[in-house]
Amino acid sequence: MNNSNAVEIFEKAPVPKAVLKNALPAMAAMLMVLIYNLADTFFIGQTHNDILLAAVSLATPVFLIFMAVGTVFGMGGTSVISRALGEGRTEYAKKVCSFCMWGCIVVGITISALFLIFMDSILALVGASADTWEPAKTYLAIVAFGGPFVLISNCYSNVIRAGGNSTQAMTGQLLGNLVNVVLDPIMILGLNWGIAGAAIATVIGNVLGAGYYILYFVRGKSSLSIRLQDFSMKDKICSGVLAIGIPASLGSLLMSVSQIIINSQMAGYDDMAVAGIGVAMKVTMMTGMVCIGFGQGIQPLLGYCVGAKLWERFKKTMRFSIIFSLGLSAVMTALCYLLRGQIVGAFLTEPAAFDYAVAFTNILLTTSILFGLFYVLCNSLQAMGAATPALIVNLSRQGIIYIPALFILQAWLGVSGLVWAQPVADILSTALVLFHYFRVSRKMIAGHR
């Protein structure tokens, strides 16, 4: 999309239209991510082997580390590029975009190699049992080979939105996820490859998604660039991307770490508890992923307003986004609660695992209505370039607050205490992000009057 079209959307379109034009494709893309996450679990569930489901639950948060690192470049690049375009610095935006591409390639290869070298240590850390060890190892060994493509796919599903082309950003993500969903039943059930089939489908989907974005730039469809000759780390390109990207990704990274911890602690009870918490998290993920997509979708619009100093438009965008996101999370939470039995039953056949999953889902849904507000405010901090507050908030929800709460509440309430830690973290982190948003936005707007 050329710059004039981006200006038309970011600066001149009515606020509801601008928000929804950017957010709906991002939400659709996140829905596909959700479906693709559910597909592995669902089709593995059709093997009627809940040990394999437990193995996927153990392996998934480790795999999500790749996605979290892709978010470093994706969210950091989006913030820097959208502000640069708002300031009219197109050449600088091109350099940032190229930095993100080559950063994804180098870092992705490095992480893949580390995963393969330290595989046994990773499995021991996540609490794999004698029964889940080999299937979890098979899954992680295969997906590690797709590491760089996972980073590129997750990065550019965000960065392309910064150039105003939310449809192309959505299309690449939809392509990769749709291919994964189609291949899952073929490889898991049709070819009887089981957990290996799920991993192979995941790799192929990410390769195709990344390939779509690369081809999009190669064909000259964007005003941005991934050419090596445009690569630069000077002029605060590297530090600017990392300053926003690392805080943005820490939420995802710590989510993986905290899931690894909770799975390890659950494994101390039994493998059915591990399968139960894995499915319960999938249920609440339905609300979370949609709200994450909405928050990510509005970030380029907010970032452009900050760069162009359009403070009235910024405030109107925030008001509309907060109201819309609260309604969205309320509707999604209600649907998940009403359908929780049917959703859990689609994945689990073992009665003990089913009972665990329903009980855990009831607990996790108590605060999922806060997701919309939380992610809008988090993305607004990133859009404003408020690196330190964004870092504090993202460290808190899945780290500073959540991880200690896991151990404290487990000691108090046992296995259910492990699950109650998330609602406690949701409430406290939402209060924290509200405080930082009002403090940063008032200071920034007052400073530019």
Side-chain angles (χ1 to χ4, degrees):
M1 178 178 286
N2 60 41
N3 289 339
S4 62
N5 288 335
V7 169
E8 180 65 32
I9 295 169
F10 288 155
E11 189 171 330
K12 298 180 181 179
V15 166
K17 179 181 178 180
V19 168
L20 294 177
K21 187 172 181 63
N22 280 277
L24 289 177
M27 290 164 64
M30 283 295 109
L31 276 173
M32 277 306 303
V33 172
L34 172 64
I35 292 169
Y36 132 73
N37 272 282
L38 293 176
D40 281 357
T41 306
F42 176 76
F43 289 111
I44 287 292
Q46 301 313 297
T47 66
H48 304 298
N49 184 342
D50 287 350
I51 288 294
L52 293 184
L53 271 178
V56 170
S57 295
L58 291 170
T60 297
V62 181
F63 167 68
L64 291 178
I65 291 173
F66 283 108
M67 298 179 71
V69 176
T71 302
V72 172
F73 296 100
M75 298 305 289
T78 297
S79 177
V80 176
I81 289 169
S82 60
R83 281 181 281 130
L85 292 176
E87 296 165 358
R89 302 170 66 197
T90 305
E91 289 304 312
Y92 185 79
K94 286 183 178 181
K95 292 178 181 179
V96 175
C97 187
S98 179
F99 167 79
C100 291
M101 170 60 70
W102 297 99
C104 283
I105 292 172
V106 172
V107 174
I109 292 171
T110 302
I111 297 177
S112 294
L114 292 173
F115 266 46
L116 294 171
I117 293 169
F118 297 105
M119 181 65 69
D120 287 345
S121 298
I122 292 170
L123 291 170
L125 180 65
V126 301
S129 66
D131 291 327
T132 57
W133 187 283
E134 284 304 320
K137 183 174 184 177
T138 297
Y139 186 89
L140 287 176
I142 294 171
V143 298
F145 285 101
F149 301 102
V150 177
L151 265 68
I152 292 171
S153 181
N154 278 275
C155 173
Y156 283 91
S157 65
N158 290 298
V159 166
I160 290 176
R161 279 198 295 272
N165 205 330
S166 55
T167 301
Q168 292 292 342
M170 175 189 69
T171 302
Q173 201 162 18
L174 288 177
L175 172 66
N177 293 338
L178 183 61
V179 167
N180 182 79
V181 171
V182 170
L183 290 179
D184 263 343
I186 296 171
M187 294 186 169
I188 295 171
L189 302 174
L191 298 176
N192 200 30
W193 289 353
I195 203 167
I200 293 169
T202 296
V203 170
I204 293 174
N206 279 286
V207 169
L208 290 176
Y212 176 88
Y213 291 130
I214 292 171
L215 185 61
Y216 170 73
F217 284 105
V218 169
R219 294 175 64 187
K221 299 292 186 180
S222 174
S223 60
L224 302 174
S225 170
I226 60 169
R227 295 183 305 172
L228 186 58
Q229 53 263 48
D230 288 320
F231 175 86
S232 176
M233 297 176 65
K234 299 177 181 178
D235 299 325
K236 297 184 178 180
I237 289 175
C238 179
S239 61
V241 170
L242 298 183
I244 296 300
I246 290 176
S249 71
L250 278 176
S252 300
L253 183 60
L254 285 172
M255 187 182 297
S256 295
V257 172
S258 60
Q259 284 186 32
I260 289 168
I261 293 172
I262 197 172
N263 285 337
S264 179
Q265 297 300 107
M266 283 286 181
Y269 295 94
D270 63 61
D271 286 333
M272 293 302 99
V274 175
I277 191 62
V279 171
M281 287 180 171
K282 300 281 188 191
V283 177
T284 52
M285 189 190 296
M286 294 179 183
T287 301
M289 293 298 278
V290 173
C291 293
I292 287 171
F294 183 79
Q296 290 180 351
I298 65 168
Q299 185 183 324
L301 176 59
L302 293 172
Y304 185 94
C305 291
V306 172
K309 298 179 175 56
L310 302 172
W311 300 116
E312 285 303 315
R313 187 170 177 81
F314 178 90
K315 289 188 284 186
K316 289 178 181 178
T317 301
M318 283 299 299
R319 280 195 295 269
F320 177 82
S321 299
I322 287 171
I323 293 169
F324 186 92
S325 66
L326 284 170
L328 178 68
S329 53
V331 169
M332 290 300 300
T333 297
L335 287 173
C336 289
Y337 181 79
L338 293 172
L339 300 174
R340 65 196 186 285
Q342 293 92 323
I343 297 169
V344 170
F347 297 102
L348 297 169
T349 56
E350 174 65 38
F354 179 90
D355 290 343
Y356 272 126
V358 171
F360 294 162
T361 298
N362 289 340
I363 295 171
L364 293 175
L365 286 176
T366 57
T367 52
S368 59
I369 195 171
L370 298 174
F371 290 172
L373 176 63
F374 179 82
Y375 287 113
V376 165
L377 294 175
C378 280
N379 281 275
S380 70
L381 289 176
Q382 293 159 19
M384 290 185 285
T388 301
L391 175 63
I392 292 169
V393 169
N394 282 288
L395 278 176
S396 297
R397 183 171 184 266
Q398 294 294 334
I400 296 171
I401 296 173
Y402 181 58
I403 292 176
L406 282 172
F407 294 101
I408 293 169
L409 293 176
Q410 182 187 15
W412 182 23
L413 301 172
V415 65
S416 63
L418 288 170
V419 191
W420 274 111
Q422 187 61 70
V424 169
D426 289 340
I427 293 169
L428 296 178
S429 59
T430 301
L432 185 65
V433 75
L434 275 166
F435 166 76
H436 281 294
Y437 168 74
F438 284 116
R439 184 180 64 85
V440 171
S441 61
R442 285 173 179 170
K443 183 179 179 179
M444 182 169 288
I445 292 170
H448 289 91
R449 281 178 175 168

